[in-house]
Amino acid sequence: MRIITFDIEDWYNHDDYSRDFAWEKHEVRIYEGTEKILSSLAERNLKGTFFCVGWIAEHHPQVIKDIAAAGHHIGCHSYQHELASRFTPEQFKEDTYKAKCIIEDVAGCEVNAFRVPSFSITASNLWTFDILTELGFTYDSSIFPSTHEFGGIPAYPAVPSLLKTHNGILKEFPICLGHFVGREIVYSGGGYFRVIPYSLLKKWTSRDSYVLSYFHPSDFDPGQPNMPQLPIMRQIKNRVGLKGAFSKFKKYIKDFDFVDVLDADRQIDWSECPIIDINDIR
Ligand SMILES: [Zn+2]
């Protein structure tokens, strides 16, 4: 099963370091970036799940309307793109609820899927999942089943699973991992997708029974401004492989079929999937 997802945020929304949220001053590139993605999916008649930042829905609602009009599955990627690990439970609930309401209002449909910014859920803030079920979410794709700069739950299985929270069950679609010379690599999105040779991407995507790909409009935008306030390694990671990434993406979705989270849900036999109790996660 291959699932395609996108995080709809502009190039300046994923500054996880400076905490400067005065975003109006930045050059807006989200329209062009999203349109590129939508037209390439339309050429292949593919549907994806789009996790949208609430701030984008509020300030650039046409972007979300275009995604919804094309028949894609709309999810929530927080309001402020702040790390969940920096929130109290009350703040997380407030931010998520605000985003859900704005996106639903703009898209004209219920928002039932969530992805946390920058995979910022660990064993220390599992209360996030209790809040998601409390707010009525059915699907989540936040778990990074390894270590990550801002989060990750290494013990979590890297396959679709039923996550039992204190308020109900979430259908969890974790990020998938490939194994390469003893290291776990996220090849299906972000920087690794851009730098790994296409022949390897194709080999791993053919081999693995569960592939969850995730992209951002900025992954395909070599013209985006630099962010000098970020650590130098982060600046390099953000820019590596940008040139040529979009043609690689187009080749990828030409060579493989993908579905959105809703279609994946219909195809999965959930009785065969792991059931993970939130109390057992370490
Ligand atoms: Zn994001």
Side-chain angles (χ1 to χ4, degrees), residues 7-9 13-14 16 51 53 77 81 115-118 216:
D7 293 353
I8 296 303
E9 60 199 50
N13 296 134
H14 50 232
D16 293 322
F51 296 98
V53 167
H77 190 44
H81 207 280
R115 174 174 292 147
V116 78
S118 307
H216 311 77

Side-chain angles (χ1 to χ4, degrees), residues 45-203:
N45 198 25
L46 295 176
K47 297 285 182 268
T49 294
F50 286 67
F51 296 98
C52 304
V53 167
W55 186 92
I56 290 288
E58 188 175 65
H59 291 78
H60 303 288
Q62 194 58 45
V63 172
I64 314 303
K65 287 181 195 289
D66 290 347
I67 298 167
H72 296 290
H73 179 212
I74 307 277
C76 173
H77 190 44
S78 85
Y79 175 79
Q80 195 68 72
H81 207 280
E82 177 59 292
L83 305 181
S85 46
R86 290 178 182 152
F87 278 145
T88 64
E90 293 73 26
Q91 289 168 330
F92 177 78
K93 186 175 174 180
E94 189 183 331
D95 180 273
T96 309
Y97 183 65
K98 181 179 176 183
K100 188 176 190 288
C101 293
I102 294 170
I103 299 165
E104 285 180 345
D105 195 35
V106 168
C109 60
E110 189 204 353
V111 169
N112 55 15
F114 181 81
R115 174 174 292 147
V116 78
S118 307
F119 307 119
S120 54
I121 298 181
T122 66
S124 306
N125 59 351
L126 296 170
W127 44 258
T128 46
F129 296 121
D130 292 329
I131 292 170
L132 292 177
T133 40
E134 185 189 339
L135 293 178
F137 286 95
T138 306
Y139 308 105
D140 179 73
S141 182
S142 299
I143 293 185
F144 191 89
S146 184
T147 51
H148 184 270
E149 184 175 6
F150 295 114
I153 304 177
Y156 204 89
V159 291
S161 54
L162 297 170
L163 175 55
K164 274 175 80 175
T165 77
H166 295 104
N167 298 317
I169 286 180
L170 269 179
K171 288 175 173 170
E172 175 64 36
F173 292 86
I175 300 302
C176 68
L177 299 168
H179 297 269
F180 184 62
V181 289
R183 287 195 63 182
E184 289 178 316
I185 286 182
V186 188
Y187 64 87
S188 56
Y192 279 120
F193 177 87
R194 300 196 302 263
V195 297
I196 291 170
Y198 188 74
S199 55
L200 265 185
L201 284 175
K202 194 171 176 181
K203 186 176 162 190

